[in-house]
Amino acid sequence: MEKSLFFSKPTNNFLVTNYVHHLINMQNPNQQPHEKLSRSQSPENGDPVSDAKWASRLLRECATAISEKDSTKIHHLLWMLNELASPYGDCNQKLAFYFLQALFCKATDTGLRCYKTLTSAAEKSKSFDSSRKLILKFQEVSPWTTFGHVASNGAILEALDGESRLHIIDISHTFCTQWPTLLEALATRNDETPHLKLTVVVTESTLVKSVMKEVAQRMEKFARLMGVPFEFNVISGSNHLKKLTKESLNIKEEEAVAVNCIGALRKVEVEERGDVIRMLQSLNPKIVTIVEHEADFSSTRNDFVKCFEECLRFYTLYFEMLDESFPITSNERLVIERECSKSIVKVLACDDQIGEGDGETRERGNQWSERLREWFSPFPLNDDAVDDVKSLLKRYKVGWSLVLPQENQESPGIYLTWRDEPVVWASAWKPREKSMERHDQ
């Protein structure tokens, strides 16, 4: 069982109600008393519990206190949050628990040490079977990851249609769960089945050692079953993606190349993202697919309170999604939430102390589009790909939807939304002719 950071006492709803309303009174002194009561505290219901967002209120107040270096308030708020937080409670208690951990690390300058401890503990319990089961279970209950897989596969199939030798460079950490459906599609093509070379670029050495050998065997077995000529390669130890070349990836002249980046670019240091995008263009691909979370931890990274607000917004959506997707007693859900704790600590308490390959500096679709447009042009998804995504979303609970690009929109591509909030952005790009000419000079 996980223990609290300071003390261990049961949640006191009356305590948090009074403290939250004290904060509201301080922030809105002119507000009328009846306006400060949430519906959950109305006389009809008679139960003086906190409002629906008590965790967010306390966490924001604590982040502000840390920014202002108000040690008395920091100590009081950390104690208050610790009284109420639990990794086994409701959404508010879980958010309080994991963000309290990051705020405590920020206040005590122990973020890097905490992150290393969390990473070490996670790696000790990680195996191929446990990782695979977790990923497949998540894909079963939520389209958070499968949305990008389906959209990217549709774009790749269209861009490489008619080619006889395909080479996909996969820069992601998805354990190749994306590719069986693409192999099935290749096996049922009307023309001759093409040869597929899949090169997986891995920046985490532990992932290579414990997982990729098993992944390779399963992929090769499935390709044989589908009757697709197949070659599987792993490029490991590439901590700097910008150093990848045609030679290191063994790209041949006769191969039609696609580069697939799912959640990979956010792990690149912000200052090096332009170099990595130029590297992608230098591979002369037919298409590059990009899938990223719709959040901005980049423009706010030098302002702790603003970065905290965006981080809290994003993970509140994520935790609410998990709450509706998994049973409350689900072990898989707990593991996913613990993984989130590492990310939250990285974003809020490590201050760029972690090198490339392990970052979490997310950017929104319009920010990525601005970077990509220097070297690439948008590759719109065709109707078949869009229909595949729509069919995918019908398999899940109500609340998920697809947003297509609008005219004059800054970011091309499509968005997955949860409760009308965009959470994942998927797009496809082809090299611009001018940028290719500039590269060749």
Side-chain angles (χ1 to χ4, degrees), residues 119-307:
T119 301
S120 176
E123 288 178 352
K124 286 179 182 177
S125 61
K126 183 179 289 187
S127 67
F128 172 78
D129 283 337
S130 64
S131 299
R132 176 175 170 273
K133 287 177 182 177
L134 180 64
I135 289 173
L136 293 177
K137 182 61 179 178
F138 188 38
Q139 292 177 355
E140 178 187 324
V141 300
S142 168
W144 193 280
T145 57
T146 50
F147 166 80
H149 295 180
V150 172
S152 296
N153 283 353
I156 291 170
L157 288 167
E158 181 185 0
L160 303 186
D161 186 37
E163 301 285 350
S164 60
R165 299 192 68 83
L166 318 182
H167 189 170
I168 297 176
I169 312 296
D170 185 21
I171 309 175
S172 61
H173 299 130
T174 60
F175 297 94
C176 294
T177 54
Q178 174 179 349
W179 304 121
T181 53
L182 184 131
L183 282 167
E184 287 186 64
L186 292 178
T188 56
R189 276 193 358 182
N190 292 328
D191 53 354
E192 185 178 349
T193 303
H195 178 278
L196 173 62
K197 182 198 296 185
L198 179 62
T199 298
V200 179
V201 178
V202 185
T203 57
E204 299 178 15
S205 59
T206 53
L207 186 68
V208 177
K209 293 176 183 178
S210 63
V211 171
M212 292 314 296
K213 183 177 179 181
E214 182 74 24
V215 169
Q217 293 174 350
R218 288 173 179 261
M219 287 296 299
E220 288 165 354
K221 181 179 180 180
F222 189 78
R224 286 196 299 271
L225 181 65
M226 291 290 103
V228 177
F230 184 70
E231 179 182 343
F232 187 90
N233 299 301
V234 177
I235 303 295
S236 60
S238 300
N239 291 325
H240 293 280
L241 292 178
K242 66 180 182 181
K243 295 182 179 179
L244 291 174
T245 63
K246 284 185 175 182
E247 290 72 28
S248 65
L249 294 166
N250 194 27
I251 295 174
K252 305 297 184 183
E253 286 297 324
E254 67 273 14
E255 294 174 343
V257 176
V259 183
N260 183 68
C261 301
I262 294 188
L265 295 185
R266 66 170 175 264
K267 296 183 178 295
V268 177
E269 292 180 20
V270 174
E271 292 75 15
E272 295 192 354
R273 289 179 179 178
D275 293 335
V276 170
I277 290 170
R278 281 193 291 274
M279 177 279 296
L280 296 177
Q281 187 275 333
S282 73
L283 302 179
N284 194 25
K286 292 277 188 180
I287 190 170
V288 173
T289 52
I290 308 287
V291 178
E292 288 290 342
H293 294 157
E294 183 66 3
D296 178 12
F297 300 164
S298 173
S299 66
T300 61
R301 62 193 173 123
N302 295 320
D303 185 324
F304 176 70
V305 174
K306 287 184 178 178
C307 185

Side-chain angles (χ1 to χ4, degrees), residues 29 33 103 112 152 187 207 214 237 247 332 351 358 364 410 416:
L103 290 173
L112 187 58
S152 296
L207 186 68
E214 182 74 24
E247 290 72 28
E332 292 92 349
D351 296 325
D358 219 5
R364 294 181 181 272
E410 291 182 5
L416 173 68

